[in-house]
Amino acid sequence: MLLEAIYHHPKRNWAFGYDDETIILRLRAKKNDLTSVHVLTVDKYDWDRTRQLIPMSKFATDGRFDYYECTVKPTHRRLKYGFLLEDGEERIWMDEDDFTTEEPQNADSLFQYPFLNPIDILKPPAWVKDAVFYQIFPERFANGDPSISPEDAEDWGGTPQRDNFFGGDLQGILDHLDHLSELGINAIYMTPVFKATTNHKYDTEDYMEVDPHFGDKKILKRLVEACHDRGIRVLLDAVFNHSGRTFKPFVDVLEKGEASPYKDWFHVHSFPLEVVDGTPTYDTFGLEPMMPKLNTEHPEVKRYLLNVAKHWIEEVGIDGWRLDVADEVDHAFWREFRTTVKQANPDAYILGEMWNESSEWLQGDQFDATMNYPFTYAVNDFFVKKVTDAQGFAFAIGRQLARYPQQASEVAFNLLDSHDTPRLLTLCGGDKQLMRLAALFQFTYMGAPCIFYGDEIGLDGDADPGCRQCMEWDTDKQDHELFNFYRELIALRKAHPVLRDQGSITFLEAQPEGASLAYERRSDEEVLLVLLNRSDEDHTFELSIPEQEWQLVFGEGPWSVGAKGLHAELLPYGYAVLKATPVRSVNSAKEVDDKTQSKAYAM
């Protein structure tokens, strides 16, 4: 037993409240090192009556570690606990201080979860589990009101550049809501709509005004109301890390220098504000002089931005915020931001832009979720770039699940491309078969999938500005077969709660050097078995699985069930989704003691 590999921390993703009654505990160990793990749980004031030894299940694995998990419902909402580790030869107890062969006789040295305070628990909005997002870049989606287009707006469908305009606006989005409803979308995320000088609007000039080339507050409110009438939620994009060069407080500092009353709204290193050897004399987004970084520790800046956050929820009725460059803003600001937003709308979704591991922001005091780019990397590496084998992909997914509290994974914002990346079809080299496989995994995984506008009708495009081209509204130039595929994917997700709400994921086939995957999504009510063949050759699955009653609900391919399990054959780039009802036994562990069962992901 390699004790140096065993890890637990009594907080973060290792010990966290899942709901007002439930704590989830996790432990890491060397891969394939332990044969069983139990957790000893007790109330420190009630040892004799509350002592339990609860089995932990392996819910994830990667190339080096196994991750174990169980759920606990403490009698008095307090918890002391330690771990019993076995490898077939040794039995070792682990407490907060050390490893020992002696069973703990009191609670003094055990780990502690002091009290399950509801306010400390990450509670994302329940609606996000059911959401299918659609990302819109307003300037390039549709021109619904040419009278407000920029004077130099080019003809729709031209070549996108970093600094050109085509006149997309909010009326254009309103005019095409039928397209989203037909597709099955029930949530949209728009990149910034506030007044700014660029086509992307990430250089905010006025946070309280809709950009006049997009419309005004009235049309934004009509758009939100029209979306709500169709059951579509609306997220706006806020840039609180930095403003634009034309933001009035920054203009004042430019003009007055150190005499400006706004000089402390920014991080100024020296006056005058200028660029020296390519580096501004003030902090910016990147090294872009047009985007000065805001000092979110300053009381007046905080007051201004928090009022912005509240205003658009209360006045227009938006359903949440996507937060640009969120990891460069101080945590104290985000804590106040969450309090402000949740007071305005407890059901608002707070989504931070992150490109890396982000558990620090997902502890219940800041964001509900982050843009899941680590998921994006894993999917693209396996399905698109083909630089990862099936086993490596399963390990990447397992590592990702182990990083976050379960409820954060359930509402993660899972995207395969965006306005900041090459489009999925371009990443796939134009191969729509690969694109379908990647999208199928996205829609059968936990979290909220997001489609970048136009992917569903075959838009391609390289990184910015290529990915930001005009939406194609000529139906003769749209890929209707691809559109129908996405529509069916969304319908599949909506038809099966196991894909949306607490359904476990277990990889049944993910071989080294393999190019095919078999995994199940399981809940108490149903099981879905997903088969994917990324190879350019036929692939045969032979799976030892207990369910005997299967039906095909998506895809194709001959399959059969026999005494030894399930046999299926998939053509190159083929896929199939099968459904079964879980086999239940009268003496199932859940029926014996629901408190001991893990609700998360076996692997």
Side-chain angles (χ1 to χ4, degrees):
M1 190 182 301
L2 186 62
L3 300 183
E4 292 85 348
I6 296 170
Y7 181 77
H8 173 80
H9 183 76
K11 201 61 178 173
R12 296 171 63 87
N13 54 312
W14 301 100
F16 57 91
Y18 179 75
D19 56 35
D20 291 356
E21 299 179 342
T22 308
I23 296 171
I24 294 181
L25 300 176
R26 292 174 175 173
L27 179 97
R28 187 195 75 187
K30 178 186 175 183
K31 188 176 181 65
N32 298 325
D33 195 29
L34 303 181
T35 55
S36 71
V37 181
H38 289 74
V39 60
L40 172 68
T41 67
V42 66
D43 185 281
K44 61 184 176 182
Y45 303 118
D46 196 4
W47 174 279
D48 292 334
R49 293 191 302 171
T50 61
R51 185 182 180 279
Q52 294 186 88
L53 194 63
I54 300 174
M56 302 186 78
S57 62
K58 187 189 300 185
F59 80 100
T61 190
D62 60 29
R64 296 183 179 87
F65 302 108
D66 291 327
Y67 302 90
Y68 293 85
E69 178 181 79
C70 72
T71 64
V72 185
K73 293 188 176 181
T75 306
H76 307 296
R77 292 203 285 175
R78 296 180 298 264
L79 194 65
K80 280 275 198 170
Y81 60 95
F83 300 95
L84 174 60
L85 317 170
E86 300 182 74
D87 65 359
E89 298 179 0
E90 292 183 284
R91 297 177 85 246
I92 301 291
W93 290 90
M94 176 188 178
D95 61 27
E96 191 170 59
D97 299 320
D98 207 349
F99 297 94
T100 177
T101 58
E102 300 295 325
E103 180 176 345
Q105 298 303 309
N106 58 61
D108 292 348
S109 64
L110 297 179
F111 292 98
Q112 179 173 228
Y113 196 106
F115 198 82
L116 188 56
N117 292 295
I119 197 171
D120 292 332
I121 301 170
L122 173 62
K123 295 180 179 178
W127 63 264
V128 182
K129 293 180 182 179
D130 297 324
V132 177
F133 278 93
Y134 189 87
Q135 182 190 351
I136 294 176
F137 193 86
E139 216 284 321
R140 304 292 163 78
F141 190 66
N143 188 334
D145 184 358
S147 69
I148 62 172
S149 297
E151 291 183 3
D152 56 350
E154 301 177 21
D155 292 338
W156 194 259
T159 303
Q161 305 291 341
R162 289 184 180 271
D163 57 356
N164 63 350
F165 295 85
F166 293 97
D169 51 38
L170 297 179
Q171 183 64 52
I173 300 172
L174 188 58
D175 292 343
H176 290 282
L177 291 182
D178 284 347
H179 175 83
L180 303 186
S181 294
E182 183 182 0
L183 187 58
I185 295 299
N186 57 12
I188 62 173
Y189 144 50
M190 292 184 285
T191 53
V193 300
F194 305 123
K195 187 176 182 181
T197 64
T198 59
N199 54 40
H200 54 72
K201 311 301 178 188
Y202 282 100
D203 59 325
T204 313
E205 176 178 311
D206 191 336
Y207 291 83
M208 300 298 287
E209 183 180 345
V210 173
D211 192 278
H213 294 142
F214 286 170
D216 55 25
K217 186 181 293 186
K218 291 181 180 179
I219 186 66
L220 177 60
K221 191 168 187 176
R222 286 206 302 272
L223 173 59
V224 171
E225 290 173 347
C227 285
H228 287 173
D229 289 343
R230 295 168 179 259
I232 298 173
R233 309 269 184 164
V234 180
L235 249 63
L236 293 187
D237 202 329
V239 192
F240 292 160
N241 175 69
H242 56 271
S243 70
R245 189 185 183 282
T246 55
F247 183 49
K248 287 183 179 179
F250 187 72
V251 172
D252 195 79
V253 180
L254 280 172
E255 294 175 351
K256 300 176 183 176
E258 202 163 3
S260 170
Y262 298 103
K263 64 183 178 63
D264 292 329
W265 279 45
F266 307 92
H267 298 271
V268 180
H269 302 299
S270 63
F271 293 96
L273 304 187
E274 58 184 343
V275 178
V276 180
D277 296 329
T279 302
T281 60
Y282 50 95
D283 288 342
T284 62
F285 168 66
L287 294 175
E288 175 50 66
M290 295 280 291
M291 297 180 177
K293 182 175 175 61
L294 290 161
N295 180 9
T296 49
E297 297 180 41
H298 192 282
E300 292 179 8
V301 176
K302 281 198 294 186
R303 191 178 305 115
Y304 175 82
L305 296 179
L306 295 178
N307 183 57
V308 170
K310 180 175 64 173
H311 174 82
W312 295 101
I313 292 175
E314 294 180 342
E315 295 298 318
V316 174
I318 66 169
D319 299 286
W321 289 102
R322 183 266 190 186
L323 304 167
D324 191 57
V325 201
D327 53 353
E328 294 189 22
V329 177
D330 65 273
H331 292 283
F333 175 81
W334 289 136
R335 292 185 180 101
E336 292 191 47
F337 176 87
R338 182 179 185 86
T339 298
T340 299
V341 167
K342 295 298 184 177
Q343 286 176 347
N345 178 6
D347 223 18
Y349 182 48
I350 302 175
L351 172 66
E353 182 198 16
M354 301 283 173
W355 291 71
N356 298 93
E357 197 276 344
S358 53
S359 59
E360 184 66 28
W361 289 266
L362 300 173
Q363 300 303 304
D365 59 346
Q366 295 173 71
F367 306 153
D368 293 314
T370 55
M371 299 185 75
N372 199 357
Y373 277 106
F375 164 86
T376 311
Y377 303 149
V379 172
N380 286 342
D381 283 350
F382 175 69
F383 288 101
V384 178
K385 300 178 182 178
K386 301 182 180 180
V387 297
T388 303
D389 61 20
Q391 183 186 71
F393 174 70
F395 287 170
I397 294 298
R399 184 165 53 250
Q400 181 71 5
L401 290 174
R403 284 174 167 172
Y404 301 130
Q406 177 177 326
Q407 60 267 46
S409 295
E410 292 170 353
V411 298
F413 190 88
N414 295 331
L415 66 165
L416 297 181
D417 56 357
S418 73
H419 66 289
D420 287 324
T421 73
R423 283 187 173 267
L424 180 58
L425 184 56
T426 296
L427 289 169
C428 291
D431 189 333
K432 293 178 182 177
Q433 293 175 304
L434 286 180
M435 185 179 180
R436 288 186 177 92
L437 291 181
L440 178 56
F441 184 83
Q442 178 191 27
F443 275 78
T444 54
Y445 186 63
M446 66 199 65
C450 180
I451 300 170
F452 187 36
Y453 79 95
D455 281 357
E456 77 280 8
I457 49 93
L459 282 193
D460 58 7
D462 215 330
D464 175 24
C467 59
R468 303 177 180 185
Q469 71 272 58
C470 296
M471 177 67 174
E472 181 57 73
W473 292 113
D474 184 342
T475 57
D476 291 336
K477 297 180 181 179
Q478 294 178 345
D479 187 325
H480 297 284
E481 185 177 340
L482 189 59
F483 178 89
N484 288 332
F485 173 81
Y486 271 99
R487 183 171 60 180
E488 292 168 4
L489 264 188
I490 295 171
L492 174 74
R493 187 173 180 87
K494 290 182 177 179
H496 298 284
V498 70
L499 296 177
R500 310 189 310 271
D501 189 7
Q502 299 185 34
S504 68
I505 180 168
T506 305
F507 285 92
L508 304 177
E509 179 176 313
Q511 298 296 323
E513 301 182 10
S516 299
L517 293 171
Y519 55 95
E520 69 171 22
R521 297 296 313 276
R522 177 180 292 269
S523 70
D524 293 338
E525 286 70 37
E526 66 176 341
V527 177
L528 290 188
L529 175 64
V530 184
L531 308 175
L532 298 169
N533 180 21
R534 194 209 62 192
S535 171
D536 55 7
E537 299 178 353
D538 294 353
H539 182 78
T540 299
F541 292 92
E542 299 285 355
L543 304 175
S544 298
I545 49 179
E547 279 76 18
Q548 298 299 307
E549 302 263 345
W550 292 94
Q551 65 181 89
L552 184 69
V553 295
F554 192 75
E556 58 186 14
W559 59 277
S560 61
V561 176
K564 295 183 179 180
L566 186 139
H567 172 94
E569 298 177 5
L570 289 187
L571 296 173
Y573 305 109
Y575 52 86
V577 181
L578 306 174
K579 175 187 175 181
T581 301
V583 173
R584 298 172 183 268
S585 64
V586 174
N587 296 317
S588 70
K590 180 173 178 62
E591 292 168 338
V592 172
D593 187 359
D594 184 66
K595 293 189 294 184
T596 68
Q597 300 308 300
S598 170
K599 293 183 179 179
Y601 317 104
M603 190 172 293

